[in-house]
Amino acid sequence: MKVLIVALPQKISKNQFEPLELAPMAIYLLASILMKNKHEVSIIDPCEFIQYEHKGDIEELCAQYIMKKISSKDIQLIAFSVNSFNWSNTKVIIQRIADNFPDVKIALGGLHPSIFDKHVLESSDAHIVMRGEGEKIIVNLCNALEYNMTLEGVKGITYKLNGNVLRNEDEIELTVEEMENTPYPAYELLPSSNPYTQLPVETSRGCRFSCAFCSIPHRRNWRGLSVEHVIKRVKHALQFKDNINRGTRLLFVDDCFTANGERAINVFKKLHRLYGYTEKVFIEARVTDILKNQILQNIPLQMVSSMQIGVECGYNEGLKKIRKGLTVEQLFSALEILKQYQFDKHCFLSIMFFLNSLYRFVYINRTFRQRNIFPCECTDFSQTDSGIHTYENSKIPVCKMQA
């Protein structure tokens, strides 16, 4: 089957997209899987749409670009990678494609359509949503469409049929063995001219916790690849470091790289033996992992370009309500370890204050500043309903704090 995979960048103004730094791993991973299963795959990378900034009707120009690819490649299925930030412009472009190519099937994947599957189908011209992990679903879907089979047996999809929206049973999440046997992302398909500064590598998936605010789909289901397979993935990614224009930094896209402290330490020790300090890696960590696993004490910190730590709330009552599984006192203890190893300037804390008074915000802000923790970015999401958990009468400013 001839498949086109597309990911649109987020718009930040009428005629401008967000800056792009990280290559989109998901579309290259799915392309690799489809090619292994004998399907013909084309990709339109988000950076290919940057050329249309400030040139007029940006959605129309992007739609025309996609439609030229559909015509030239005789595309049968177009799969859009969608999140909550690019859905608005993706939806507009889907309508224009559907008007011009009524026989081309349009599928959606990603977190936003996985959560709001029925809504996005009822409010757009898309035909199918692939919910959750797409590695198995997209192959089964393409096989069914190619041989004109009913979609009733394709697990993990929601689809339109005769004016109705039908929802099949969920696909089973990948096991660690299945993840380790998945083909590597087809980074050889990256556009030769691109703005990316980082290459993504996945070493684990999911989280062992279930915080109330969190949108990740794999709660209490952390799956970590073996050290051997992590190293293989890093080696694969580094083959393509010349495919990005500036820098060669790797970014581990894991929801929580440090969930298994021993594994995290062994990954970095092996990388250090192979590359010394020539390769830098971004990781995401948990406060409790830093405290109990002695990770910072046992890895070569010069290899860590930066570290993000999700705290999400600046006071204990709020942390308890969102089921974060840590306290402010534990956070400050972790910061002392970061300072001890002179890593505090490379660590960013993502903090969401669930507040019900201006006094509480001022008090917390003063407490953090007294410990030399300053906000580098602050956005006010007042009266925000995430669709997952709502707090009555809450103001929710979101701060990323640099230690």
Side-chain angles (χ1 to χ4, degrees):
M1 189 171 196
K2 296 179 180 179
V3 182
L4 175 63
I5 302 177
V6 181
L8 287 150
Q10 171 194 349
K11 282 176 62 178
I12 56 175
S13 67
K14 183 178 180 180
N15 288 305
Q16 186 177 0
F17 292 117
E18 63 177 333
L20 299 174
E21 296 182 352
L22 177 66
M25 184 189 76
I27 62 175
Y28 292 100
L29 174 61
L30 295 179
S32 182
I33 292 169
L34 286 175
M35 289 188 292
K36 181 181 178 181
N37 285 273
K38 311 303 181 184
H39 295 285
E40 297 182 36
V41 184
S42 302
I43 284 180
I44 301 182
D45 187 282
C47 73
E48 296 181 55
F49 298 106
I50 302 300
Q51 61 183 308
Y52 298 118
E53 289 184 317
H54 309 295
K55 297 282 182 67
D57 186 337
I58 200 166
E59 276 93 1
E60 177 62 29
L61 293 170
C62 292
Q64 291 295 330
Y65 184 74
I66 296 171
M67 289 190 287
K68 286 180 183 178
K69 185 81 74 170
I70 294 173
S71 296
S72 64
K73 299 289 186 178
D74 195 21
I75 296 299
Q76 298 165 287
L77 170 69
I78 178 168
F80 284 93
S81 179
V82 180
N83 57 48
S84 297
F85 301 103
N86 71 357
W87 171 236
S88 59
N89 48 316
T90 301
K91 179 180 175 181
V92 172
I93 290 170
I94 286 173
Q95 180 181 348
R96 299 184 187 186
I97 292 172
D99 290 342
N100 288 275
F101 295 90
D103 294 329
V104 173
K105 293 295 183 183
I106 301 173
L108 310 174
L111 186 59
H112 185 88
S114 292
I115 295 175
F116 305 109
D117 52 333
K118 290 187 176 181
H119 171 73
V120 297
L121 290 180
E122 290 169 347
S123 60
S124 77
D125 289 314
H127 305 104
I128 304 162
V129 166
M130 297 176 286
R131 307 188 311 269
E133 296 176 340
E135 288 93 335
K136 290 189 284 189
I137 298 172
I138 197 168
V139 173
N140 294 333
L141 174 63
C142 288
N143 291 342
L145 292 173
E146 184 174 25
Y147 296 105
N148 295 315
M149 298 165 58
T150 175
L151 298 183
E152 184 179 357
V154 181
K155 293 182 180 180
I157 66 168
T158 306
Y159 61 102
K160 294 176 179 176
L161 181 66
N162 299 326
N164 298 312
V165 175
L166 306 180
R167 197 175 198 269
N168 292 353
E169 65 177 296
D170 292 341
E171 179 59 89
I172 299 173
E173 293 181 336
L174 271 64
T175 65
V176 171
E177 183 179 3
E178 287 174 321
M179 290 172 61
E180 291 179 340
N181 291 327
T182 298
Y184 302 134
Y187 288 142
E188 66 273 14
L189 301 180
L190 273 166
S192 56
S193 177
N194 65 72
Y196 300 125
T197 62
Q198 304 168 75
L199 278 174
V201 175
E202 184 182 43
T203 86
S204 69
R205 188 175 295 181
C207 180
R208 287 177 171 162
F209 292 80
S210 182
C211 300
F213 62 88
C214 191
S215 61
I216 70 167
H218 314 296
R219 299 182 180 206
R220 295 197 177 100
N221 184 23
W222 184 85
R223 290 157 287 165
L225 307 184
S226 68
V227 174
E228 176 188 1
H229 280 89
V230 172
I231 299 305
K232 288 180 179 179
R233 291 190 176 205
V234 169
K235 287 181 177 180
H236 168 78
L238 289 176
Q239 292 179 51
F240 304 100
K241 63 182 182 181
D242 292 336
N243 291 33
I244 60 177
N245 288 340
R246 299 169 296 166
T248 60
R249 191 177 76 167
L250 297 175
L251 187 146
F252 286 170
V253 295
D254 309 23
D255 298 309
C256 187
F257 172 75
T258 59
N260 182 322
E262 181 180 359
R263 188 196 77 118
I265 291 168
N266 288 333
V267 164
F268 268 98
K269 285 184 176 180
K270 181 66 173 178
L271 289 175
H272 182 250
R273 285 196 295 269
L274 288 170
Y275 303 110
Y277 298 114
T278 59
E279 305 299 342
K280 306 290 185 182
V281 183
F282 168 94
I283 64 173
E284 186 164 337
R286 276 186 63 90
V287 164
T288 49
D289 294 336
I290 291 174
L291 292 176
K292 71 181 180 182
N293 292 325
Q294 294 193 318
I295 291 175
L296 296 184
Q297 296 90 324
N298 288 284
I299 65 173
L301 290 176
Q302 296 92 325
M303 292 192 69
V304 182
S305 58
S306 57
M307 178 192 303
Q308 179 170 301
I309 301 175
V311 180
E312 276 71 54
C313 193
Y315 62 104
N316 287 332
E317 179 188 352
L319 287 166
K320 184 178 181 180
K321 284 183 177 180
I322 63 173
R323 304 193 300 271
K324 184 62 185 178
L326 62 87
T327 65
V328 172
E329 290 74 23
Q330 288 176 311
L331 167 62
F332 291 147
S333 295
L335 291 177
E336 290 303 318
I337 295 175
L338 289 167
K339 291 177 181 179
Q340 178 184 348
Y341 289 89
Q342 299 181 337
F343 199 70
D344 49 314
K345 301 303 181 185
H346 303 276
C347 180
F348 290 83
L349 307 181
S350 178
I351 300 181
M352 179 183 296
F353 294 105
F354 289 82
L355 304 171
N356 55 23
S357 72
L358 177 62
Y359 169 78
R360 177 170 277 168
F361 176 76
V362 172
Y363 172 78
I364 294 170
N365 195 36
R366 182 183 301 134
T367 301
F368 275 77
R369 286 177 177 272
Q370 287 172 348
R371 294 175 180 267
N372 294 319
I373 307 172
F374 302 98
C376 61
E377 180 182 357
C378 181
T379 306
D380 185 7
F381 288 92
S382 297
Q383 299 178 346
T384 295
D385 182 358
S386 68
I388 298 170
H389 202 92
T390 306
Y391 291 98
E392 244 183 290
N393 302 320
S394 291
K395 299 290 185 180
I396 312 179
V398 177
C399 302
K400 286 184 178 179
M401 315 288 282
Q402 182 175 8

